[in-house]
Amino acid sequence: MGSDHTVPPRFEPPRRLLLAPGPSAVNPRVLEAMARPMIGHLDPETMRMLHEIQSMLRDVFRTGNELTFPVSGTGTAGMECALTNVLEPGDVALALVSGAFAERMKEIALRCRAEVHVVGGQWGNPVPEEAVADALATHPTAKAVLAVHAETSTGLRQPLEGIGRLCRERGTLFVVDAVASLGGIPVEVDGWGIDVCYSGSQKCLSVPPGLAPITFSPRAVAARIERGDRPMNSFYLDVLPISRYLGTERLYHHTAPVSMLYGLHEGLRIVLEEGLEARWRRHEEIGAEVLAALEERGFEPFPPSGYRLPEVICVRLPEGVDDRVARKRLLDEFGIEIAGGLGELAGKVWRVGLMGESCTRDSAKALLDAIDLVLAA
Ligand SMILES: *Cc1c(COP(=O)(O)O)cnc(C)c1O
């Protein structure tokens, strides 16, 4: 009896130096935590761990928001959770666009059947505060402004503080993608007037992909409550039943991914042990060193000076370097993963992720040495 098919051998992942913009290297403490025995998702101990995760996430997001939790899913699930809870059909939304992830936000807002107006639109260039002020004046009923803080597709850092101030003056909700910034560079949810902010576990937090930390301001929660029973297109991501699961009622909504929560709990402990300020400094310093070294080798930074992310370096390739061939050699001969360009930047740029556990001087040196050997050939 038995199957006609042979069972494949045990899967053994190769050793890789992860220097793409996610997933980043994972600390063995996190891997060990994820292998701990299973307990129930409604177990009082699971709830205690989840409440500790919520509290650590508030520290990392720099917020007092009660509704702060990890969405079950990757960063894109965080994006859908933010937008489906905020936008109803017919709502006006202003989407700040400067790369592929902002285009994705726009796409999801359109699927919520919002009326979306693009502000900016040039990949790699920050959207100026004045353009947002003009757009808010043209569309005074706008329900929300959508922005990507760290645009991973272009290595762009979008300033947020002034835009948050404009949103507060207008009573417009400010929704921010911090998938590639949280835990790597400063994110100040309360200080910058952000209403909904989401991230992903596998970028600067250095936990495997699978959870999307998110936080909702009381204003954003009130907007969801006001909507009442008016239909929402997602059951899974509706924050009202999720907040009843997180609260004292502990009402079942969906099974929390318990092992992922073990990993996030340990990963956040590591982030807070290092300290946010020290962590931001480490990313800033090592990112600047690697960018300078790449410029010496003929790579040109893609975003303008002053708006470059240290944790996602996006550089144009020097003349004569074949993107596919060179990246294949880095992976095959050196076990190093970096990323190419997305969309219109495919074949033209490289993106180097120096996130969380991947952001070390040893990793940087290994990458630069390998690039030297590959470019010399
Ligand atoms: C990676 C990323 C996402 C998407 O996250 P997934 O985990 O791939 O779903 C969204 N926004 C930004 C800025 C990202 O870098």
Side-chain angles (χ1 to χ4, degrees):
M1 302 295 279
S3 158
D4 290 341
H5 303 284
T6 50
V7 176
R10 203 175 101 124
F11 179 71
E12 290 292 348
R15 292 220 155 256
R16 298 285 192 226
L17 182 55
L18 295 175
L19 295 174
S24 52
V26 177
N27 190 298
R29 276 173 56 184
V30 172
L31 296 176
E32 184 273 327
M34 291 177 70
R36 287 175 196 161
M38 190 50 43
I39 57 175
H41 66 112
L42 297 171
D43 193 298
E45 280 300 290
T46 302
M47 298 315 289
R48 185 173 68 81
M49 168 186 60
L50 194 45
H51 293 154
E52 287 178 357
I53 287 173
Q54 290 185 280
S55 163
M56 289 190 282
L57 283 178
R58 287 185 196 103
D59 290 346
V60 174
F61 274 122
R62 314 267 262 194
T63 184
N65 292 340
E66 172 68 24
L67 188 58
T68 303
F69 67 97
V71 176
S72 308
T74 66
T76 307
M79 197 185 280
E80 294 227 43
C81 181
L83 296 177
T84 51
N85 281 283
V86 163
L87 295 175
E88 290 189 66
D91 280 345
V92 173
L94 304 179
L96 278 55
V97 173
S98 51
F101 288 102
E103 305 270 11
R104 181 177 292 189
M105 261 184 130
K106 183 185 89 179
E107 163 74 22
I108 294 174
L110 287 170
R111 287 178 186 219
C112 297
R113 283 182 286 138
E115 178 188 323
V116 184
H117 299 275
V118 169
V119 189
Q122 262 187 308
W123 280 38
N125 281 330
V127 179
E129 202 180 308
E130 305 77 60
V132 181
D134 289 350
L136 281 168
T138 312
H139 304 284
T141 60
K143 171 102 169 272
V145 168
L146 321 177
V148 175
H149 184 214
E151 179 51 83
T152 317
S153 62
T154 53
L156 178 85
R157 182 186 206 144
Q158 170 68 47
L160 298 176
E161 200 171 357
I163 297 168
R165 214 176 300 120
L166 291 172
C167 289
R168 291 284 60 74
E169 286 165 17
R170 289 270 179 183
T172 307
L173 294 173
F174 192 21
V175 180
V176 170
D177 177 314
V179 176
S181 53
L182 191 73
I185 60 173
V187 175
E188 300 280 356
V189 168
D190 289 357
W192 296 344
I194 299 170
D195 291 292
V196 185
C197 190
Y198 58 88
S199 190
S201 49
Q202 81 276 24
K203 309 254 170 134
C204 299
L205 298 175
S206 265
V207 171
L211 290 172
I214 197 166
T215 185
F216 287 77
S217 73
R219 273 185 302 272
V221 174
R224 171 66 192 91
I225 290 170
E226 218 171 82
R227 182 170 172 177
D229 292 332
R230 288 200 297 279
M232 192 176 132
N233 63 4
S234 176
F235 175 89
Y236 194 63
L237 300 171
D238 187 345
V239 292
L240 290 190
I242 292 173
S243 62
R244 287 194 282 272
Y245 164 66
L246 295 168
T248 46
E249 293 165 89
R250 236 192 278 163
L251 275 181
Y252 165 69
H253 176 252
H254 68 268
T255 308
V258 178
S259 305
M260 280 304 307
L261 294 175
Y262 297 159
L264 183 61
H265 188 277
E266 192 62 21
L268 290 170
R269 276 169 30 79
I270 293 171
V271 169
L272 294 173
E273 282 167 9
E274 179 176 9
L276 282 175
E277 280 85 1
R279 205 169 166 91
W280 297 337
R281 214 177 311 119
R282 171 163 63 85
H283 284 84
E284 204 63 62
E285 287 174 7
I286 295 177
E289 289 164 19
V290 172
L291 178 61
L294 288 171
E295 285 189 87
E296 271 171 31
R297 288 160 174 80
F299 294 84
E300 273 177 41
F302 185 71
S305 168
Y307 301 95
R308 295 170 189 156
L309 294 168
E311 79 280 22
V312 186
I313 297 176
C314 181
V315 283
R316 285 188 186 281
L317 295 181
E319 205 65 51
V321 175
D322 185 310
D323 166 41
R324 287 197 167 278
V325 172
R327 269 193 301 127
K328 186 171 182 328
R329 287 199 57 198
L330 287 176
L331 190 68
D332 293 348
E333 294 168 32
F334 301 92
I336 297 177
E337 182 188 76
I338 61 167
L342 292 179
E344 54 195 67
L345 294 176
K348 297 179 184 155
V349 299
W350 275 358
R351 294 176 305 134
V352 175
L354 295 160
M355 298 173 151
E357 298 281 324
S358 290
C359 180
T360 66
R361 289 201 166 83
D362 283 351
S363 302
K365 184 173 184 316
L367 173 68
L368 293 166
D369 288 350
I371 286 179
D372 284 341
L373 289 166
V374 166
L375 292 193

